[in-house]
Amino acid sequence: MTTIELTPGTWTLDQAHTEVGFSVRHAGISKVRGQFTEADATLVVGGTLGTSSVEATVKTASFDSNNNDRDAHVKGPDFFNVEQFPNMTFTATEVHGTPENFSLSGDLTIKETTRPVTFDVEFGGVAVDPFGATRAGFSASAQISRKEFGITWNAALEAGGVLVGDKVTITVDSAFVLPAS
């Protein structure tokens, strides 16, 4: 059993060792995957899970699905409208469970809509790297309805169904660094 033993304090996201990914059903038969390449987050570790918190910001213009045409469409007004809404944010409101098995609930804001979302979290451990920095790793996942966030664009398929699924799986593999005191 893994237990979380983190030094209390403010930890910062290591963007170079973090990936914010997604997957969504395409044409009802396959999944499109991609990532947001720019994110920032702060993890404040308290004395217990319940007194810890996370705040994160993702740059919507950093959307990358490895297809330039699709990326341009998703960044436009039909989906994220990155010019008007450059950020998605997540603010934790509750950490619950045990150090071995916990969830992170909070408010996810996409465009003008804020909804509660719960991430299932796996603690990867703590390590001191060769340069003396203390790092902690986490993997988290949640599923959202894009329609609940006002992202409703779609196209009907000739055989029935729609081009883009409603359920989006968000995955976060993150590393946080405890700044040297």
Side-chain angles (χ1 to χ4, degrees), residues 12-181:
T12 57
L13 186 71
D14 177 0
Q15 177 61 53
H17 296 98
T18 294
E19 181 177 287
V20 178
F22 66 88
S23 65
V24 64
R25 184 123 345 244
H26 178 261
I29 60 169
S30 64
K31 289 185 179 179
V32 169
R33 290 176 169 75
Q35 65 180 327
F36 293 89
T37 60
E38 293 180 47
D40 191 25
T42 301
L43 165 64
V44 177
V45 176
T48 66
L49 277 177
T51 60
S52 298
S53 65
V54 175
E55 289 191 15
T57 301
V58 173
K59 300 290 183 189
T60 55
S62 73
F63 178 91
D64 182 4
S65 68
N66 204 27
N67 180 294
N68 290 337
D69 291 338
R70 176 174 46 233
D71 293 353
H73 184 205
V74 171
K75 291 176 187 180
D78 286 337
F79 289 88
F80 287 121
N81 195 0
V82 302
E83 295 295 322
Q84 187 175 355
F85 304 102
N87 298 315
M88 287 188 291
T89 61
F90 177 80
T91 302
T93 57
E94 182 181 10
V95 183
H96 41 94
T98 67
E100 295 80 25
N101 185 18
F102 70 98
S103 297
L104 181 66
S105 295
D107 294 325
L108 176 64
T109 301
I110 302 175
K111 294 171 79 171
E112 294 179 308
T113 303
T114 301
R115 309 241 344 134
V117 172
T118 298
F119 284 87
D120 293 323
V121 182
E122 177 186 342
F123 176 57
V126 176
V128 177
D129 69 19
F131 308 103
T134 302
R135 299 174 173 278
F138 300 88
S139 295
S141 64
Q143 191 171 77
I144 64 168
S145 161
R146 65 186 184 89
K147 291 176 186 174
E148 289 181 355
F149 288 91
I151 301 173
T152 59
W153 182 91
N154 227 324
L157 298 174
E158 186 176 307
V162 291
L163 187 62
V164 183
D166 177 48
K167 293 180 181 174
V168 178
T169 300
I170 302 168
T171 55
V172 180
D173 289 301
S174 59
F176 285 86
V177 178
L178 180 64
S181 7

